Amino acid sequence: MLKTTLAGLRAHKLRLLLTSLAITLGVGFIAGTFVLTDTIEAGFSRKFAAAADKIDVAVLPGKKDEPIVPRDLLEKIRAVEGVADAQGVVRGSAPLIGKDGKAVGDYPTAAVSIPRGRLNRTEITSGTAPAKPAEAVLDANTAKTRGFAIGDTITVLDSENAKHEFTLVGLFDVGIDQELAYYGAVGFTVETATEMTGEKGFQEIDVAAAEGVSAETLRGSVAAAVGSAAEVKTGKSHAADLAKANGADTKILTLGLLLFGFVAMFVAALVIYNTFNILVAQRTREMALLRCIGATRKQVFGSVVLESAVVGLLSSVLGLLTGLGLGAGALALLGRTGLEVPTDGVALAPRTIAVGMVLGVVVTVVAALLPARAATRVAPIAALRSQVEEHTFRTGVLRMVFAGLFLAAGAGVTAFAVATGPGEASLFMSMAGGAVTFLGVLILGPVMVKPLSAVAGWVPRRLFGVPGKLAVDNSRRNPKRSATTTVALTVGVTLMTLISVLTSTMRTTYGAKLDEQFPVDYMVQVQGDEGSFPRALAEDLRTRPELASVVALRRTDAKAGAQGAEFEVGTFTPAAGFSPEATTGSFGDLKAGTVAVGDEAAKALGVKVGDALPLTTTEGGEVRLTVVALFPQANALIPEVTVPHGDFDRYFGALDDGAIFANVKDGVAEENARKAVEAAAQPYPTAMVISSTELRGEFDEALDMMLMIITGLLGLAVLISLLGIANTLSLSVHERTRESALLRALGLTRPQLRRMLSVEALVLGVIGALVGVVLGTVFGWAATNTMTTGVIFQLPVVQVVAFVALSGLAGVVAAVLPARRAARASIVDSLATG
Amino acid sequence: MTITGEVGAWNARGNSAPAVVARGLTKVYGQGDAAVHALRGVDIAFATGAFTAIMGPSGSGKSTLMHCLAGLDTVTGGQVHIGDVELTGLNDKQLTLLRRERIGFIFQAFNLLPTLTAEQNIRLPLEISGRQADQVLFDRVVETVGLRDRLAHRPTELSGGQQQRVAVARALISKPQVIFADEPTGNLDSRSGAEVLSFLRTSVRELGQTIVMVTHDPVAAAYADRVVFLRDGLLVDELVQPTPQSVLDTLMKLEA
């Protein structure tokens, strides 16, 4: 039997290839995920280890609530015997002023200390390290994008927003430090860095051992000297800890990518199941012949399972190689986008090989089990029948009962989740409902093919004449096969629709919330939204004729409530047209001695309108306030605990403004208004002007980016399902060789025959997409309703229509090769087969 | 018995030009040592309005001859005319259109599209060429083959004989210049076979249809007006107004 199976496989190399491609892609994606993340992890570990080589002992913050190492420890450590050198590492922020006089970037530039000697871990790529207080270095990327060169004078703000000038003496490479790469970095001597950042201590103290002192010994003596004030580790174990923390980050990436890999494998399983079903159906006579010459049912079953195992094995090996390529490709792509990823070249870890092989073989064999069982049912007498039987499909009672049960359960669970309201449990429940419903659709598939093909085929039937009509008939000829073929596509389309429904709903909801709660045209904010600017800025803005109203926001942290937990307490200066909405109570009642509280803070504080709220103030001692309003906190502009602005000054003194909202007067051109706001903000380098349209644009961009990435990853599942369509079609073409020849004899031209198959694929594609779009929309709706309150459901009509159209088109593309083969076949030869 | 293969030697009833003419037809499969000469120079004419049977032992080239005459297969040498059109030299599209307009087919088996009803199968050639069926002709054809009450059935719901009758009706409906039948009764029991053959003869007598039929069954051949015999790719004999016995005798003679 083994020989027969292997000979059969060898005889059909092409068929084998098509079948295995689905598994190859699935395994390839999963293996690629591992290759990518393994490589990243290994690269980072190596870099950490390399950096750790320079340090013998690292002194780290010891207490959780005070994440710095006290400054006085440095001298203590330097005095320890066996210490050759000890340097404090300062890290904070120091906004770099660009050539336009404003702080660069959305966030303040990071400031780091660059020590001299062997403890310097930063790599100066050109120029020298700062040696004097008036010298500084910039990271190479920031220097390039902001147009600074060695020798230039750069201006940097200190923690008090005072300007300081430095001579740029060198450029450095941030290496694997993602934080520095993101914010941009300016480096000073240790002393200057401390002055500029205003940091009260060190992020870490690096210690170098004297000649002949081991790191472990040094660790002991340093630990003894610092006591419990800080944590002391050897450089090696510190590097290992850093690598471990980094590994936790890559683990999330791995999990996320694997999720898409599993979707792809599920689709591949459907494709394999379908392919083996067709193969068994086509080889009915072969199987029967085997039975005639004495093969047992078990042997027939074994031969099909063995065939699937061989296919699974080969495609898994190919998949692993594909994964290696995918991983390398992804790394190259990451490198090109400027993300610094250290690599030592890609490699397949034993774990990757094991997971890939096991998954590939198991999925293939399991998918082939049912078809193999069908093969055992072939009666020996079938060998003698000449004509292939037409597959008839009758809707069984059992199928309807099961489909009904699954659909009812899925709909019930989802409805319950939606009725329960937003929350994590509801969201998971609605997604579980979606999965169960999908199973129901899977069972019901063959029943739905006929009516759906009537819908999907309505236009082609009328547009493409005889080939069109024949194609639509063919598409529902074998409902089971069509259903499985299309369901594979449905999986991808469902998820894509779901994601686009989510994003478009989020977009609309966010937009509406923005309109409702952010009824301002411009916002002036401190870079990074931390800090403040003088009240003079708001005063200046109020004098500008282009603006209708200006609201200033002031904030601080203070203890509130019976437990005395810290909350953000603040106020806003009233202005015409700015009135936050209250869910209960009213902002009209916000007078002296009262307070408005956000809904989430109110829940934490356990207060409602009319209750008293104790608040600890810096200037007014402990005060008791009456709650007069609660407001929705999500996306709210005002602080969670908001008091009248007169009260705020009395409680906390005349603090600077944290943010300013400005509305443009009617009829003033957008650009004029922008100029006015920017002119007012110009004297304050860290004051960033943001327009609501920009804000919305940024949000849209982020959403679009997410949509694009997820759609791209789901594209793999769609690609596999297209392979399934191509496979089904080519096997159908094979099955209908004589029929095609008959049509050609009767006068169907080659282009017409090709068109017939294209239209069939088109109809299959559209059926799959239609089901997917409906499921995706319904469960997208359910998901948005279980995620947050007050969502405004938005169906992305253009995208949904595009999904259906593209699926049809993709089907046509999948049909190209099978159709060519069918059209090329010689009529005489084809008539003779069978 | 006249000189076999001479063009125009047998012009039935002398009423018009022949429907199909082949001159010096050769067909070689493969190359070099493996070359198989299926047809070695066949000259033949099929009269309009006549029922001709092509006979010969297995491997004599009778099916190849039919495929070449019908434009289903390309020829290695010689010429084929259907009416006034020369087939040799036409490209695939022209051949397809020619088949569509001028030729009807009846095959041994697998004649019908399983997805279509009997009526849709009958009308299929007209639909493909975008022509309207002549309702009078349709009714007459359907009556002739006795399928009136089976029109809405699909092929799987029809017996083998009924399926072949649908195929006959389909071949007749487009009023082709010639119908090629390849062992049309090969898969049928004798009664159904006799029925189908009578329909074919009736269509020649009453509708003036030209039919060329390949068969190996002397009884079937006896329904024809004329039988031509092939052996080893050459036309070797022919009979006019054959009987099963005369056909059998000629075959025995050829086998000897």
Side-chain angles (χ1 to χ4, degrees), chain A residues 2 254 329 348 486 614:
Chain A
L2 179 70
T254 312
L348 284 173
T486 54

Side-chain angles (χ1 to χ4, degrees), chain B residues 106-121:
Chain B
I106 303 165
F107 297 108
Q108 179 176 0
F110 219 84
N111 256 309
L112 309 178
L113 284 197
T115 51
L116 301 182
T117 63
E119 176 166 359
Q120 286 168 332
N121 263 299

Side-chain angles (χ1 to χ4, degrees), chain A residues 23-36:
Chain A
I23 285 293
T24 300
L25 284 179
V27 171
F29 188 84
I30 289 174
T33 301
F34 282 128
V35 168
L36 175 69

Side-chain angles (χ1 to χ4, degrees), chain A residues 589-731:
Chain A
D589 297 334
L590 194 62
K591 303 207 170 67
T594 64
V595 64
V597 185
D599 46 10
E600 280 159 42
K603 209 186 258 174
L605 287 163
V607 295
K608 52 185 193 297
V609 171
D611 287 355
L613 178 68
L615 180 71
T616 311
T617 70
T618 51
E619 310 287 314
E622 169 126 1
V623 291
R624 286 181 74 80
L625 308 173
T626 314
V627 178
V628 292
L630 298 184
F631 59 90
Q633 209 167 308
N635 293 324
L637 288 175
I638 55 174
E640 50 191 350
V641 176
T642 295
V643 298
H645 71 289
D647 286 2
F648 187 80
D649 285 5
R650 258 188 292 122
Y651 300 155
F652 301 101
L655 294 183
D656 281 348
D657 293 335
I660 297 170
F661 310 130
N663 265 332
V664 179
K665 220 172 243 164
D666 284 344
V668 174
E670 168 92 24
E671 39 189 282
N672 291 345
R674 170 142 211 143
K675 267 186 202 140
V677 179
E678 277 177 350
Q682 186 60 37
Y684 312 96
T686 56
M688 316 284 291
V689 177
I690 302 161
S691 76
S692 59
T693 23
E694 266 171 29
L695 204 63
R696 203 173 295 203
E698 274 168 31
F699 182 74
D700 278 355
E701 243 169 61
L703 273 185
D704 286 341
M705 188 69 163
M706 187 186 83
L707 187 67
M708 229 172 64
I709 292 174
I710 295 183
T711 308
L713 291 172
L714 286 174
L716 180 74
V718 171
L719 183 68
I720 293 176
S721 60
L722 291 182
L723 283 178
I725 292 188
N727 221 354
T728 305
L729 272 183
S730 69
L731 290 167

Side-chain angles (χ1 to χ4, degrees), chain A residues 489-495 497-498 767-777:
Chain A
L489 181 62
T490 302
V491 175
V493 176
T494 301
L495 293 174
T497 309
L498 186 99
I767 291 176
L770 280 178
V771 178
V773 159
V774 170
L775 283 176
T777 305

Side-chain angles (χ1 to χ4, degrees), chain A residues 386-388 390 392 450 465-466 469-470 473-474 477 735-736 738-752 823 826-829 831, chain B residues 29 67 71-73 92-93 96-97 99-100 103-105 107-116 120-121 124-125 127-129 154 156 163 170 187:
Chain A
S386 62
Q387 201 146 347
V388 183
E390 229 1 66
T392 48
K450 210 166 181 183
V466 178
K469 282 181 204 166
L470 293 173
D473 285 343
N474 281 336
R477 192 155 160 184
E735 223 168 56
R736 297 187 214 135
R738 295 188 63 172
E739 209 174 302
S740 301
L742 175 70
L743 281 166
R744 291 271 291 124
L746 291 181
L748 208 67
T749 60
R750 279 190 174 138
Q752 280 180 315
S826 136
I827 302 174
V828 174
D829 293 347
L831 282 172
Chain B
Y29 293 107
H67 291 148
L72 290 174
D73 209 345
D92 180 74
K93 168 134 200 205
T96 306
L97 295 183
R99 284 200 301 272
R100 183 194 271 187
I103 302 175
F105 285 100
F107 297 108
Q108 179 176 0
F110 219 84
N111 256 309
L112 309 178
L113 284 197
T115 51
L116 301 182
Q120 286 168 332
N121 263 299
L124 187 61
E127 291 246 349
I128 290 176
S129 55
R154 286 187 199 279
T156 44
Q163 288 185 28
R170 184 192 60 206
N187 269 13

